Amino acid sequence: MNTDGRTGKELIYRILLRFFYLVVPILVYLVLLGVFWFVFPPETGVFSMPPSPEYLGLIGLMGAYLVPPFGKETIIPLALALGYPVWVIFLGVVGMDIVTATFVSLNFDLLLRVPLIGRWIRWVVRTADKVLRTKPWVEQLASAGLLLFMYIPLQGSGSITCSVIGRLLDYKPAASLGLVIIGSVLSTLTVALGASSVIQLWHINPLLGIAAAVIILALILAIAYVWSRFTKRFYRKDGV
């Protein structure tokens, strides 16, 4: 029985599939950036250079979003304060979460073999492992735990870390990606609507904006306290 043809076809299929996994997530976000180009076109015309300051500023914000300790709780309010529309920030942040989570989830094994990127991925794995040890509720609450971790603005609770946690917990890529996307949409909407409300009230009357910010902060602290009390039940007696 000749298996050379089948083996060759399987090899070609795997190469094409890997190419798809590597290229398509990046192309999707490039398309989104192309849409933003038409939203913030250069002053001399859509098909001219250089890019507008608004477009460059948006690119800078999305790039900063990938760098710790920046996250939704800092980038979104800053972007709204600079005058970017809510829908632009929503698409930019959620799109970045989807693309990075997809890229890492589908290419995890390959990224580990790349010299510099592999070192960074291993650092993310150690971070994810630390999360599971210090926040056992993420694992014990199963899918709800991973979704909540993506939703709650904690240090390191980004799409990349959540995708790695999904792999450590043996989630299928589609399942972990689904949880990351849902968590990203909900958290981005929450932060964007809250920050937008504060900014709008500030423009009406600075005192109203300050009062709204204080109320939101007090609400966050109250929820954090209740949540910390709730999650204590997931820790073992030895404190782990």
Side-chain angles (χ1 to χ4, degrees):
M1 182 176 179
N2 188 2
T3 60
D4 292 342
R6 181 182 301 176
T7 303
K9 290 180 180 179
E10 289 178 354
L11 180 60
I12 294 174
Y13 172 78
R14 290 180 181 179
I15 293 174
L16 291 176
L17 188 63
R18 177 64 70 181
F19 180 79
F20 180 85
Y21 287 165
L22 286 169
V23 174
V24 170
I26 298 174
L27 288 180
V28 168
Y29 203 76
L30 289 177
V31 170
L32 183 59
L33 293 181
V35 172
F36 291 153
W37 177 276
F38 289 92
V39 177
F40 306 107
E43 295 181 357
T44 54
V46 171
F47 299 104
S48 62
M49 294 290 285
S52 67
E54 294 82 4
Y55 184 80
L56 291 176
L58 180 63
I59 297 297
L61 288 169
M62 293 301 100
Y65 177 60
L66 293 175
V67 182
F70 297 107
K72 295 180 179 66
E73 67 280 4
T74 53
I75 294 299
I76 293 176
L78 177 59
L80 293 175
L82 291 174
Y84 289 97
V86 173
W87 71 270
V88 168
I89 302 305
F90 175 82
L91 288 180
V93 170
V94 173
M96 183 66 77
D97 282 341
I98 294 174
V99 167
T100 52
T102 303
F103 189 82
V104 172
S105 295
L106 298 181
N107 300 289
F108 186 80
D109 56 336
L110 179 62
L111 294 176
L112 283 173
R113 299 189 183 98
V114 180
L116 293 178
I117 298 178
R119 182 180 301 178
W120 172 68
I121 290 294
R122 284 188 286 273
W123 175 82
V124 175
V125 171
R126 291 194 296 270
T127 301
D129 183 66
K130 183 179 179 181
V131 167
L132 293 176
R133 286 186 284 106
T134 59
K135 297 177 176 61
W137 54 266
V138 175
E139 180 177 3
Q140 295 183 36
L141 289 176
S143 298
L146 186 60
L147 176 60
L148 285 170
F149 184 73
M150 183 65 196
Y151 174 75
I152 300 172
L154 300 169
Q155 178 63 36
S157 62
S159 59
I160 296 176
T161 304
C162 285
S163 298
V164 173
I165 289 176
R167 290 192 65 94
L168 294 179
L169 296 178
D170 292 326
Y171 281 91
K172 292 183 178 179
S176 62
L177 282 174
L179 294 171
V180 168
I181 292 172
I182 295 172
S184 174
V185 169
L186 294 177
S187 60
T188 302
L189 282 176
T190 301
V191 176
L193 293 177
S196 178
S197 299
V198 171
I199 292 172
Q200 290 180 10
L201 289 173
W202 173 272
H203 289 317
I204 296 174
N205 188 321
L207 291 178
L208 291 177
I210 294 173
V214 170
I215 292 173
I216 291 175
L217 179 60
L219 182 61
I220 291 174
L221 292 175
I223 294 174
Y225 174 76
V226 173
W227 180 252
S228 66
R229 300 275 296 182
F230 171 74
T231 54
K232 281 185 178 180
R233 69 183 65 184
F234 297 103
Y235 291 84
R236 298 199 303 267
K237 292 183 179 180
D238 57 2
V240 179

